[in-house]
Amino acid sequence: VDTVVLSCGKNSVELLSSAIHSEDPLLYQWQKLTLRKSEEVFILEYNGTVEGCEGYTRKNRMAGKLINVDGRCILPTQESTETDYGVNLYLNDFSEKDIQKLSGRQITVRDLSVEGFDGKDMIGIHSYAVSDRYEVVDIRYFRFSPKNRWRKVVRKERTKNDNIFFQFENKKRNTT
């Protein structure tokens, strides 16, 4: 998930991706891949995990593309908890050979100030991107609204009724 491009060649693209653990979808491990053009088809090759990684952790999910800052390559990653992903963000030093073991700076929602959002409503950071003119932070927020809660209950009830109707109609068709 959340794959980023490391480098591009004439007939290949080197990728860095977060692999999800098969038994816990909030554990991730970095892996390197190569997308290679062979004749008229593309082949995706698995190149193994990244040297210097700790295996599956709650901090190895990508959170944006590689960023070059004064000659340093920075890899944004997101931190998960046991129940949720995209809680905090890390800006990690990165090299082609080795990812430092999350030596980067941790950024939490308390470090952000977003116009139009009350800080206490922000509950997580999912991704980070920057250009010459803009900085983009994908935040998660929570706002309780009785109106939205009511809509969700009505939608759920309507879906349940639609499913009952659909099952009833199928039974009618199957018996005739």
Side-chain angles (χ1 to χ4, degrees):
V1 297
D2 304 321
T3 303
V4 298
V5 174
L6 292 177
S7 62
C8 295
K10 182 178 178 184
N11 291 314
S12 66
V13 177
E14 299 292 324
L15 306 168
L16 183 64
S17 184
S18 300
I20 301 173
H21 193 281
S22 61
E23 295 177 16
D24 185 344
L26 296 173
L27 287 174
Y28 309 94
Q29 180 177 27
W30 285 314
Q31 62 183 3
K32 281 190 174 182
L33 305 163
T34 301
L35 184 62
R36 190 176 312 284
K37 184 175 180 184
S38 175
E39 296 177 22
E40 295 301 315
V41 298
F42 287 93
I43 299 169
L44 186 63
E45 301 168 354
Y46 173 71
N47 299 335
T49 59
V50 178
E51 292 178 40
C53 287
E54 309 164 5
Y56 286 96
T57 75
R58 299 201 190 284
K59 298 178 183 177
N60 288 350
R61 183 168 176 163
M62 303 297 180
K65 69 177 191 168
L66 293 170
I67 303 164
N68 189 337
V69 178
D70 299 328
R72 289 177 43 220
C73 197
I74 306 295
L75 175 65
T77 59
Q78 54 183 287
E79 180 179 22
S80 301
T81 65
E82 290 182 12
T83 57
D84 206 2
Y85 75 96
V87 177
N88 296 316
L89 191 76
Y90 282 87
L91 298 178
N92 304 287
D93 288 319
F94 175 83
S95 72
E96 288 284 334
K97 180 175 170 58
D98 184 39
I99 294 178
Q100 305 302 317
K101 294 185 181 180
L102 296 171
S103 62
R105 177 168 185 253
Q106 180 188 39
I107 299 171
T108 71
V109 292
R110 304 297 166 242
D111 297 320
L112 302 176
S113 174
V114 180
E115 188 175 323
F117 284 93
D118 186 347
K120 68 179 188 239
D121 292 337
M122 295 188 290
I123 59 172
I125 306 172
H126 180 75
S127 63
Y128 177 82
V130 65
S131 72
D132 293 340
R133 297 179 55 196
Y134 301 101
E135 183 175 36
V136 178
V137 179
D138 181 3
I139 60 167
R140 298 178 57 225
Y141 64 94
F142 175 78
R143 287 192 182 153
F144 177 74
S145 167
K147 182 176 157 184
N148 288 342
R149 177 69 180 137
W150 177 247
R151 282 184 188 157
K152 190 180 269 188
V153 168
V154 168
R155 189 178 321 120
K156 187 175 182 180
E157 196 60 34
R158 186 181 301 149
T159 302
K160 186 170 110 181
N161 290 337
D162 289 347
N163 288 338
I164 291 169
F165 177 76
F166 180 72
Q167 290 170 1
F168 176 74
E169 284 294 308
N170 280 340
K171 283 180 184 178
K172 272 177 58 175
R173 287 186 192 143
N174 291 337
T175 58
T176 56

